Amino acid sequence: MSKTIEILVSPQGETRITTFGFSGAGCQEASRFLESALGQRSGERLTADFYQDLQQQERSQVDS
Amino acid sequence: MSHIVTIQTQIKDVAALRLATKRLKLAEPVYGTAKLFSSEATGWQVQLPKWRYPVVADIDAGSLAFDNYEGRWGDQVELDRLVQSYAIEKASLEARRMGHTVLEQPLEDGMVKLTIQVGGAS
């Protein structure tokens, strides 16, 4: 899956950033440059994919 | 999808503000001290359509000073449009600076969707 960042800008100027195709905490890293450039963070939600990726990464580290 | 962040836009970049005024076909921002109804504000002034006083952006603080007398001296929608345009321009500038590709798409509900292809050639 290609790495994509989607930004929705509301008519009032509030922005919502969603990341796709990143693994684990990589998504937070990927969108950080936009967060700091755009203004004040007012909320964050980690999705189930985030935790699944994190578990997979931990399993890989244990296996290796 | 792995995480969703919500951000309250703050105007902190003159170049992006300039592009936002251009997008809205407004006069370019001018730096100086503006008189509002009962106060003064120093920063980058933008004159919105049918607004009695300019909106003044303090770039360092990321704050806006204005007095539209709760809509009587200027429609809030005009200011919202400016902030939306700024956010679009600022996000696009930053993404291109990182070497990403940006696709802009207006949506029916007034929202604008930017799709950033990470690592894509712009």
Side-chain angles (χ1 to χ4, degrees):
Chain A
M1 188 185 180
S2 66
K3 292 175 178 175
T4 305
I5 302 168
E6 187 183 90
I7 304 174
L8 277 175
V9 188
S10 80
Q12 290 73 38
E14 191 180 61
T15 55
R16 200 174 71 198
I17 302 174
T18 311
T19 54
F20 300 89
F22 294 90
S23 56
C27 63
Q28 290 170 307
E29 196 57 50
S31 63
R32 197 159 290 144
F33 76 98
L34 286 166
E35 294 172 32
S36 56
L38 285 170
Q40 198 85 43
R41 182 196 278 216
S42 54
E44 180 180 34
R45 189 160 62 84
L46 300 172
T47 66
D49 287 354
F50 177 90
Y51 294 106
Q52 276 173 2
D53 289 339
L54 218 58
Q55 282 174 339
Q56 274 173 353
Q57 280 177 7
E58 282 170 3
R59 265 191 235 116
S60 306
Q61 283 169 357
V62 169
D63 293 345
S64 59
Chain B
M1 181 199 307
S2 44
H3 92 138
I4 300 165
V5 181
T6 310
I7 294 166
Q8 201 53 55
T9 303
Q10 292 178 311
I11 295 180
K12 290 184 156 188
D13 180 346
V14 184
L17 181 60
R18 206 167 269 130
L19 288 168
T21 55
K22 196 174 174 182
R23 175 185 282 257
L24 296 170
K25 297 182 173 62
L26 303 174
E28 281 207 349
V30 178
Y31 189 84
T33 300
K35 191 185 174 334
L36 305 179
F37 176 68
S38 57
S39 62
E40 285 187 340
T42 300
W44 290 91
Q45 302 170 38
V46 176
Q47 190 59 56
L48 296 173
K50 295 180 182 170
W51 272 53
R52 184 177 295 190
Y53 301 106
V55 171
V56 185
D58 181 338
I59 296 294
D60 295 328
S63 62
L64 291 175
F66 60 92
D67 189 348
N68 67 336
Y69 194 19
E70 294 172 344
R72 294 177 185 85
W73 293 342
D75 192 340
Q76 180 68 31
V77 167
E78 300 292 352
L79 178 55
D80 291 345
R81 256 188 218 125
L82 178 69
V83 178
Q84 183 188 40
S85 296
Y86 171 85
I88 294 163
E89 295 292 356
K90 180 62 177 167
S92 301
L93 271 178
E94 292 299 322
R96 291 197 180 104
R97 202 171 280 157
M98 299 286 285
H100 307 325
T101 306
V102 185
L103 179 74
E104 184 181 326
Q105 184 187 359
L107 303 179
E108 279 181 19
D109 57 4
M111 287 220 181
V112 173
K113 183 164 92 170
L114 299 174
T115 306
I116 296 169
Q117 210 62 51
V118 173
S122 51

